[in-house]
PDB file of all heavy atoms in Angstrom:
ATOM      1  N   HIS A  10     -17.847  16.137   6.164  1.00  0.00           N
ATOM      2  CA  HIS A  10     -17.524  16.039   4.785  1.00  0.00           C
ATOM      3  C   HIS A  10     -16.335  15.158   4.469  1.00  0.00           C
ATOM      4  O   HIS A  10     -15.816  15.176   3.404  1.00  0.00           O
ATOM      5  CB  HIS A  10     -17.274  17.448   4.192  1.00  0.00           C
ATOM      6  CG  HIS A  10     -16.040  18.115   4.816  1.00  0.00           C
ATOM      7  ND1 HIS A  10     -16.130  18.696   6.057  1.00  0.00           N
ATOM      8  CD2 HIS A  10     -14.827  18.220   4.375  1.00  0.00           C
ATOM      9  CE1 HIS A  10     -14.889  19.242   6.316  1.00  0.00           C
ATOM     10  NE2 HIS A  10     -14.096  18.913   5.304  1.00  0.00           N
ATOM     11  N   SER A  11     -15.863  14.342   5.437  1.00  0.00           N
ATOM     12  CA  SER A  11     -14.696  13.516   5.224  1.00  0.00           C
ATOM     13  C   SER A  11     -14.911  12.479   4.098  1.00  0.00           C
ATOM     14  O   SER A  11     -16.070  12.107   3.855  1.00  0.00           O
ATOM     15  CB  SER A  11     -14.271  12.798   6.488  1.00  0.00           C
ATOM     16  OG  SER A  11     -15.236  11.892   6.861  1.00  0.00           O
ATOM     17  N   LEU A  12     -13.881  12.170   3.431  1.00  0.00           N
ATOM     18  CA  LEU A  12     -13.947  11.207   2.311  1.00  0.00           C
ATOM     19  C   LEU A  12     -13.834   9.790   2.824  1.00  0.00           C
ATOM     20  O   LEU A  12     -13.046   9.543   3.754  1.00  0.00           O
ATOM     21  CB  LEU A  12     -12.896  11.556   1.269  1.00  0.00           C
ATOM     22  CG  LEU A  12     -12.949  12.881   0.592  1.00  0.00           C
ATOM     23  CD1 LEU A  12     -11.643  13.139  -0.229  1.00  0.00           C
ATOM     24  CD2 LEU A  12     -14.224  13.100  -0.117  1.00  0.00           C
ATOM     25  N   MET A  13     -14.461   8.831   2.139  1.00  0.00           N
ATOM     26  CA  MET A  13     -14.269   7.384   2.388  1.00  0.00           C
ATOM     27  C   MET A  13     -13.133   6.975   1.529  1.00  0.00           C
ATOM     28  O   MET A  13     -12.971   7.423   0.388  1.00  0.00           O
ATOM     29  CB  MET A  13     -15.528   6.661   2.007  1.00  0.00           C
ATOM     30  CG  MET A  13     -16.698   6.885   2.915  1.00  0.00           C
ATOM     31  SD  MET A  13     -18.081   5.922   2.468  1.00  0.00           S
ATOM     32  CE  MET A  13     -18.623   6.891   1.052  1.00  0.00           C
ATOM     33  N   LYS A  14     -12.252   6.136   2.099  1.00  0.00           N
ATOM     34  CA  LYS A  14     -11.069   5.680   1.396  1.00  0.00           C
ATOM     35  C   LYS A  14     -11.183   4.219   1.096  1.00  0.00           C
ATOM     36  O   LYS A  14     -11.490   3.429   1.983  1.00  0.00           O
ATOM     37  CB  LYS A  14      -9.800   5.894   2.246  1.00  0.00           C
ATOM     38  CG  LYS A  14      -8.491   5.519   1.545  1.00  0.00           C
ATOM     39  CD  LYS A  14      -7.282   5.928   2.426  1.00  0.00           C
ATOM     40  CE  LYS A  14      -6.026   5.478   1.693  1.00  0.00           C
ATOM     41  NZ  LYS A  14      -4.846   5.775   2.516  1.00  0.00           N
ATOM     42  N   PHE A  15     -10.852   3.824  -0.093  1.00  0.00           N
ATOM     43  CA  PHE A  15     -10.922   2.492  -0.557  1.00  0.00           C
ATOM     44  C   PHE A  15      -9.589   2.158  -1.222  1.00  0.00           C
ATOM     45  O   PHE A  15      -8.858   3.065  -1.687  1.00  0.00           O
ATOM     46  CB  PHE A  15     -11.992   2.217  -1.604  1.00  0.00           C
ATOM     47  CG  PHE A  15     -13.403   2.405  -1.066  1.00  0.00           C
ATOM     48  CD1 PHE A  15     -13.989   3.620  -1.162  1.00  0.00           C
ATOM     49  CD2 PHE A  15     -14.011   1.357  -0.446  1.00  0.00           C
ATOM     50  CE1 PHE A  15     -15.319   3.813  -0.624  1.00  0.00           C
ATOM     51  CE2 PHE A  15     -15.308   1.519   0.042  1.00  0.00           C
ATOM     52  CZ  PHE A  15     -15.946   2.720  -0.047  1.00  0.00           C
ATOM     53  N   LYS A  16      -9.201   0.882  -1.290  1.00  0.00           N
ATOM     54  CA  LYS A  16      -8.028   0.395  -2.056  1.00  0.00           C
ATOM     55  C   LYS A  16      -8.643  -0.450  -3.166  1.00  0.00           C
ATOM     56  O   LYS A  16      -9.347  -1.435  -2.988  1.00  0.00           O
ATOM     57  CB  LYS A  16      -7.151  -0.446  -1.163  1.00  0.00           C
ATOM     58  CG  LYS A  16      -5.979  -1.044  -1.886  1.00  0.00           C
ATOM     59  CD  LYS A  16      -4.897  -0.025  -2.256  1.00  0.00           C
ATOM     60  CE  LYS A  16      -4.269   0.497  -0.987  1.00  0.00           C
ATOM     61  NZ  LYS A  16      -3.093   1.330  -1.216  1.00  0.00           N
ATOM     62  N   LEU A  17      -8.363  -0.017  -4.488  1.00  0.00           N
ATOM     63  CA  LEU A  17      -8.705  -0.782  -5.559  1.00  0.00           C
ATOM     64  C   LEU A  17      -7.582  -1.575  -6.053  1.00  0.00           C
ATOM     65  O   LEU A  17      -6.536  -1.010  -6.297  1.00  0.00           O
ATOM     66  CB  LEU A  17      -9.263   0.204  -6.705  1.00  0.00           C
ATOM     67  CG  LEU A  17      -9.551  -0.417  -8.038  1.00  0.00           C
ATOM     68  CD1 LEU A  17     -10.669  -1.433  -8.008  1.00  0.00           C
ATOM     69  CD2 LEU A  17      -9.856   0.694  -9.084  1.00  0.00           C
ATOM     70  N   VAL A  18      -7.795  -2.870  -6.245  1.00  0.00           N
ATOM     71  CA  VAL A  18      -6.717  -3.713  -6.732  1.00  0.00           C
ATOM     72  C   VAL A  18      -7.262  -4.468  -7.952  1.00  0.00           C
ATOM     73  O   VAL A  18      -8.368  -4.941  -7.955  1.00  0.00           O
ATOM     74  CB  VAL A  18      -6.353  -4.838  -5.666  1.00  0.00           C
ATOM     75  CG1 VAL A  18      -5.292  -5.800  -6.202  1.00  0.00           C
ATOM     76  CG2 VAL A  18      -5.879  -4.142  -4.365  1.00  0.00           C
ATOM     77  N   PHE A  19      -6.445  -4.421  -9.016  1.00  0.00           N
ATOM     78  CA  PHE A  19      -6.922  -5.099 -10.284  1.00  0.00           C
ATOM     79  C   PHE A  19      -5.695  -5.642 -10.977  1.00  0.00           C
ATOM     80  O   PHE A  19      -4.548  -5.349 -10.614  1.00  0.00           O
ATOM     81  CB  PHE A  19      -7.689  -4.139 -11.190  1.00  0.00           C
ATOM     82  CG  PHE A  19      -6.894  -2.989 -11.765  1.00  0.00           C
ATOM     83  CD1 PHE A  19      -6.246  -3.083 -12.940  1.00  0.00           C
ATOM     84  CD2 PHE A  19      -6.888  -1.759 -11.025  1.00  0.00           C
ATOM     85  CE1 PHE A  19      -5.554  -1.985 -13.480  1.00  0.00           C
ATOM     86  CE2 PHE A  19      -6.198  -0.686 -11.577  1.00  0.00           C
ATOM     87  CZ  PHE A  19      -5.537  -0.808 -12.780  1.00  0.00           C
ATOM     88  N   PHE A  20      -5.974  -6.583 -11.871  1.00  0.00           N
ATOM     89  CA  PHE A  20      -4.921  -7.291 -12.635  1.00  0.00           C
ATOM     90  C   PHE A  20      -5.053  -6.977 -14.069  1.00  0.00           C
ATOM     91  O   PHE A  20      -6.157  -6.881 -14.647  1.00  0.00           O
ATOM     92  CB  PHE A  20      -5.076  -8.808 -12.366  1.00  0.00           C
ATOM     93  CG  PHE A  20      -4.904  -9.168 -10.893  1.00  0.00           C
ATOM     94  CD1 PHE A  20      -6.017  -9.111 -10.080  1.00  0.00           C
ATOM     95  CD2 PHE A  20      -3.685  -9.485 -10.390  1.00  0.00           C
ATOM     96  CE1 PHE A  20      -5.884  -9.455  -8.765  1.00  0.00           C
ATOM     97  CE2 PHE A  20      -3.510  -9.824  -9.050  1.00  0.00           C
ATOM     98  CZ  PHE A  20      -4.631  -9.758  -8.222  1.00  0.00           C
ATOM     99  N   SER A  21      -3.911  -6.632 -14.676  1.00  0.00           N
ATOM    100  CA  SER A  21      -3.967  -6.220 -16.047  1.00  0.00           C
ATOM    101  C   SER A  21      -2.716  -6.777 -16.822  1.00  0.00           C
ATOM    102  O   SER A  21      -1.701  -6.973 -16.292  1.00  0.00           O
ATOM    103  CB  SER A  21      -3.802  -4.650 -16.088  1.00  0.00           C
ATOM    104  OG  SER A  21      -3.587  -4.117 -17.311  1.00  0.00           O
ATOM    105  N   PRO A  22      -2.968  -7.086 -18.163  1.00  0.00           N
ATOM    106  CA  PRO A  22      -1.804  -7.509 -18.903  1.00  0.00           C
ATOM    107  C   PRO A  22      -0.752  -6.381 -18.936  1.00  0.00           C
ATOM    108  O   PRO A  22      -1.114  -5.207 -18.965  1.00  0.00           O
ATOM    109  CB  PRO A  22      -2.331  -7.792 -20.327  1.00  0.00           C
ATOM    110  CG  PRO A  22      -3.670  -7.221 -20.355  1.00  0.00           C
ATOM    111  CD  PRO A  22      -4.123  -7.061 -18.981  1.00  0.00           C
ATOM    112  N   VAL A  23       0.504  -6.717 -18.841  1.00  0.00           N
ATOM    113  CA  VAL A  23       1.555  -5.653 -18.679  1.00  0.00           C
ATOM    114  C   VAL A  23       1.453  -4.614 -19.717  1.00  0.00           C
ATOM    115  O   VAL A  23       1.589  -3.405 -19.355  1.00  0.00           O
ATOM    116  CB  VAL A  23       2.993  -6.461 -18.723  1.00  0.00           C
ATOM    117  CG1 VAL A  23       4.105  -5.424 -18.770  1.00  0.00           C
ATOM    118  CG2 VAL A  23       3.108  -7.371 -17.564  1.00  0.00           C
ATOM    119  N   SER A  24       1.229  -4.929 -20.945  1.00  0.00           N
ATOM    120  CA  SER A  24       1.231  -3.883 -21.979  1.00  0.00           C
ATOM    121  C   SER A  24       0.055  -2.919 -21.837  1.00  0.00           C
ATOM    122  O   SER A  24       0.082  -1.794 -22.283  1.00  0.00           O
ATOM    123  CB  SER A  24       1.150  -4.575 -23.400  1.00  0.00           C
ATOM    124  OG  SER A  24      -0.094  -5.270 -23.491  1.00  0.00           O
ATOM    125  N   ALA A  25      -1.051  -3.298 -21.121  1.00  0.00           N
ATOM    126  CA  ALA A  25      -2.187  -2.458 -20.991  1.00  0.00           C
ATOM    127  C   ALA A  25      -2.197  -1.619 -19.764  1.00  0.00           C
ATOM    128  O   ALA A  25      -2.912  -0.578 -19.675  1.00  0.00           O
ATOM    129  CB  ALA A  25      -3.449  -3.285 -20.990  1.00  0.00           C
ATOM    130  N   THR A  26      -1.331  -1.889 -18.739  1.00  0.00           N
ATOM    131  CA  THR A  26      -1.392  -1.239 -17.427  1.00  0.00           C
ATOM    132  C   THR A  26      -1.181   0.207 -17.552  1.00  0.00           C
ATOM    133  O   THR A  26      -1.983   0.973 -17.002  1.00  0.00           O
ATOM    134  CB  THR A  26      -0.368  -1.861 -16.497  1.00  0.00           C
ATOM    135  OG1 THR A  26      -0.671  -3.269 -16.328  1.00  0.00           O
ATOM    136  CG2 THR A  26      -0.344  -1.225 -15.173  1.00  0.00           C
ATOM    137  N   PRO A  27      -0.190   0.774 -18.297  1.00  0.00           N
ATOM    138  CA  PRO A  27      -0.050   2.264 -18.316  1.00  0.00           C
ATOM    139  C   PRO A  27      -1.260   3.007 -18.875  1.00  0.00           C
ATOM    140  O   PRO A  27      -1.717   4.001 -18.333  1.00  0.00           O
ATOM    141  CB  PRO A  27       1.189   2.445 -19.257  1.00  0.00           C
ATOM    142  CG  PRO A  27       1.954   1.138 -19.163  1.00  0.00           C
ATOM    143  CD  PRO A  27       0.925   0.069 -19.011  1.00  0.00           C
ATOM    144  N   GLY A  28      -1.831   2.403 -19.905  1.00  0.00           N
ATOM    145  CA  GLY A  28      -3.084   3.040 -20.472  1.00  0.00           C
ATOM    146  C   GLY A  28      -4.289   3.036 -19.538  1.00  0.00           C
ATOM    147  O   GLY A  28      -4.971   3.993 -19.429  1.00  0.00           O
ATOM    148  N   VAL A  29      -4.466   1.914 -18.843  1.00  0.00           N
ATOM    149  CA  VAL A  29      -5.580   1.768 -17.898  1.00  0.00           C
ATOM    150  C   VAL A  29      -5.405   2.824 -16.765  1.00  0.00           C
ATOM    151  O   VAL A  29      -6.301   3.588 -16.430  1.00  0.00           O
ATOM    152  CB  VAL A  29      -5.712   0.369 -17.336  1.00  0.00           C
ATOM    153  CG1 VAL A  29      -6.725   0.330 -16.199  1.00  0.00           C
ATOM    154  CG2 VAL A  29      -6.084  -0.639 -18.410  1.00  0.00           C
ATOM    155  N   LEU A  30      -4.175   2.913 -16.216  1.00  0.00           N
ATOM    156  CA  LEU A  30      -3.920   3.862 -15.191  1.00  0.00           C
ATOM    157  C   LEU A  30      -4.084   5.299 -15.683  1.00  0.00           C
ATOM    158  O   LEU A  30      -4.648   6.057 -14.984  1.00  0.00           O
ATOM    159  CB  LEU A  30      -2.502   3.627 -14.568  1.00  0.00           C
ATOM    160  CG  LEU A  30      -2.381   2.458 -13.604  1.00  0.00           C
ATOM    161  CD1 LEU A  30      -0.920   2.252 -13.261  1.00  0.00           C
ATOM    162  CD2 LEU A  30      -3.193   2.700 -12.362  1.00  0.00           C
ATOM    163  N   ARG A  31      -3.564   5.632 -16.776  1.00  0.00           N
ATOM    164  CA  ARG A  31      -3.596   6.974 -17.380  1.00  0.00           C
ATOM    165  C   ARG A  31      -5.084   7.420 -17.511  1.00  0.00           C
ATOM    166  O   ARG A  31      -5.456   8.506 -17.059  1.00  0.00           O
ATOM    167  CB  ARG A  31      -2.935   7.021 -18.742  1.00  0.00           C
ATOM    168  CG  ARG A  31      -2.871   8.375 -19.347  1.00  0.00           C
ATOM    169  CD  ARG A  31      -2.021   8.476 -20.651  1.00  0.00           C
ATOM    170  NE  ARG A  31      -2.272   7.383 -21.541  1.00  0.00           N
ATOM    171  CZ  ARG A  31      -1.402   6.337 -21.758  1.00  0.00           C
ATOM    172  NH1 ARG A  31      -0.294   6.317 -21.025  1.00  0.00           N
ATOM    173  NH2 ARG A  31      -1.684   5.392 -22.570  1.00  0.00           N
ATOM    174  N   ARG A  32      -5.949   6.497 -17.951  1.00  0.00           N
ATOM    175  CA  ARG A  32      -7.328   6.848 -18.131  1.00  0.00           C
ATOM    176  C   ARG A  32      -8.079   7.076 -16.806  1.00  0.00           C
ATOM    177  O   ARG A  32      -8.861   7.983 -16.653  1.00  0.00           O
ATOM    178  CB  ARG A  32      -8.106   5.766 -18.936  1.00  0.00           C
ATOM    179  CG  ARG A  32      -7.667   5.936 -20.461  1.00  0.00           C
ATOM    180  CD  ARG A  32      -8.352   5.041 -21.400  1.00  0.00           C
ATOM    181  NE  ARG A  32      -9.812   5.196 -21.384  1.00  0.00           N
ATOM    182  CZ  ARG A  32     -10.590   4.362 -21.981  1.00  0.00           C
ATOM    183  NH1 ARG A  32     -10.096   3.293 -22.612  1.00  0.00           N
ATOM    184  NH2 ARG A  32     -11.862   4.489 -21.963  1.00  0.00           N
ATOM    185  N   LEU A  33      -7.725   6.224 -15.822  1.00  0.00           N
ATOM    186  CA  LEU A  33      -8.302   6.378 -14.484  1.00  0.00           C
ATOM    187  C   LEU A  33      -7.811   7.715 -13.827  1.00  0.00           C
ATOM    188  O   LEU A  33      -8.605   8.519 -13.263  1.00  0.00           O
ATOM    189  CB  LEU A  33      -7.931   5.246 -13.518  1.00  0.00           C
ATOM    190  CG  LEU A  33      -8.638   3.907 -13.820  1.00  0.00           C
ATOM    191  CD1 LEU A  33      -8.062   2.788 -12.965  1.00  0.00           C
ATOM    192  CD2 LEU A  33     -10.163   4.010 -13.722  1.00  0.00           C
TER     193      LEU A  33
END
Side-chain angles (χ1 to χ4, degrees):
H10 64 280
S11 66
L12 299 175
M13 289 182 283
K14 184 176 179 182
F15 296 92
K16 177 73 68 170
L17 172 61
V18 178
F19 64 91
F20 300 86
S21 172
V23 171
S24 63
T26 301
V29 172
L30 281 172
R31 185 174 42 256
R32 288 188 52 196
L33 289 174

